[in-house]
Amino acid sequence: NAGVMQNPRHLVRRRGQEARLRCSPMKGHSHVYWYRQLPEEGLKFMVYLQKENIIDESGMPKERFSAEFPKEGPSILRIQQVVRGDSAAYFCASSPRERSYGYTFGSGTRLTVV
Amino acid sequence: GENVEQHPSTLSVQEGDSAVIKCTYSDSASNYFPWYKQELGKRPQLIIDIRSNVGEKKDQRIAVTLNKTAKHFSLHITETQPEDSAVYFCAATSNFGNEKLTFGTGTRLTIIP
């Protein structure tokens, strides 16, 4: 039973490029959450999605960031025109249904903007 | 929105002693409080959680207590071991965990052999 899979594990982008982070939830899980962790800080909520639906994007920056969770395939967090301040670890978590306890986090994608 | 404060930010204890990490939350509607352990370069891992209808929960050397009136909850680790060294995060949410978790800022726990 594979856990939450994120790829790539490490991603290096030059300023101005686009970053695409992928998250495949655990089998049977239909809810995905994205969190960002800056160095030496806690995790900050970004967005909560169900398949084909964004439930809560209150933590997403208004510009350059978008997320999707299509009917088929992984959830994608997309960052356009990256800047140095986007360097962070991005963690995805999944849960099986609307009312459930305990997230399972993936191993994260460490984005470095140079 | 919810605000979670966590103390201390760093904690060093002798191996075998106990460690206590405390968190306070602001939203009285919060009803689920998980604790995560994160080792360097790794993902956060759920170690214990508590719901608002329970005052205390224990799992071997780890326990969590919740005081709803005072809006604070604590993590207790007894008989600490070197492998307990990590960063610990508390979190809170108001809808059984299926909405966003608000995390504390973390406690770096170091166990001194």
Side-chain angles (χ1 to χ4, degrees):
Chain A
N1 183 16
V4 179
M5 303 299 293
Q6 289 189 249
N7 65 82
R9 290 293 304 276
H10 301 275
L11 182 61
V12 179
R13 284 288 178 265
R14 294 187 182 279
R15 281 179 295 173
Q17 291 184 320
E18 178 180 288
R20 282 185 177 239
L21 288 61
R22 288 176 289 279
C23 170
S24 296
M26 289 182 69
K27 186 176 181 181
H29 286 198
S30 57
H31 298 246
V32 165
Y33 313 80
W34 286 92
Y35 287 78
R36 175 164 64 174
Q37 185 176 34
L38 295 171
E40 302 297 318
E41 293 190 15
L43 290 89
K44 301 291 186 186
F45 169 80
M46 299 183 75
V47 62
Y48 164 35
L49 311 102
Q50 295 177 23
K51 282 193 179 289
E52 301 183 283
N53 194 20
I54 297 175
I55 305 301
D56 181 353
E57 56 181 349
S58 58
M60 287 277 273
K62 292 289 186 282
E63 298 177 349
R64 303 188 298 108
F65 285 72
S66 62
E68 63 176 4
F69 189 15
K71 185 177 180 180
E72 300 292 336
S75 175
I76 305 289
L77 179 67
R78 181 183 179 201
I79 311 172
Q80 295 178 290
Q81 299 173 349
V82 296
V83 300
R84 289 244 171 95
D86 296 332
S87 296
Y90 292 82
F91 289 96
C92 167
S94 72
S95 65
R97 56 192 173 277
E98 184 173 7
R99 289 186 173 269
S100 62
Y101 292 93
Y103 291 171
T104 300
F105 280 97
S107 297
T109 293
R110 279 149 188 84
L111 172 66
T112 302
V113 179
V114 296
Chain B
E2 176 65 277
N3 182 48
V4 176
E5 295 190 354
Q6 183 172 348
H7 299 281
S9 57
T10 60
L11 179 61
S12 295
V13 300
Q14 290 291 141
E15 182 178 354
D17 288 350
S18 295
V20 180
I21 302 170
K22 299 181 179 180
C23 290
T24 60
Y25 61 98
S26 61
D27 188 352
S28 56
S30 287
N31 56 15
Y32 175 66
F33 308 91
W35 285 87
Y36 286 86
K37 175 184 180 182
Q38 187 176 32
E39 296 176 354
L40 186 63
K42 304 241 178 119
R43 64 180 178 175
Q45 290 193 299
L46 179 69
I47 56 171
I48 196 168
D49 56 11
I50 192 167
R51 307 176 197 178
S52 58
N53 59 345
V54 175
E56 183 174 359
K57 183 177 179 181
K58 189 173 182 180
D59 182 4
Q60 299 183 337
R61 297 186 297 109
I62 296 174
V64 57
T65 58
L66 171 65
N67 183 326
K68 287 170 55 181
T69 302
K71 290 193 278 191
H72 66 71
F73 57 112
S74 300
L75 177 72
H76 304 253
I77 306 174
T78 58
E79 302 173 15
T80 52
Q81 301 168 3
E83 53 264 37
D84 294 330
S85 294
V87 179
Y88 291 80
F89 293 98
C90 61
T93 186
S94 61
N95 197 6
F96 302 101
N98 69 305
E99 290 186 355
K100 59 188 178 186
L101 285 172
T102 300
F103 282 84
T105 50
T107 296
R108 184 176 299 279
L109 176 63
T110 302
I111 307 303
I112 305 167

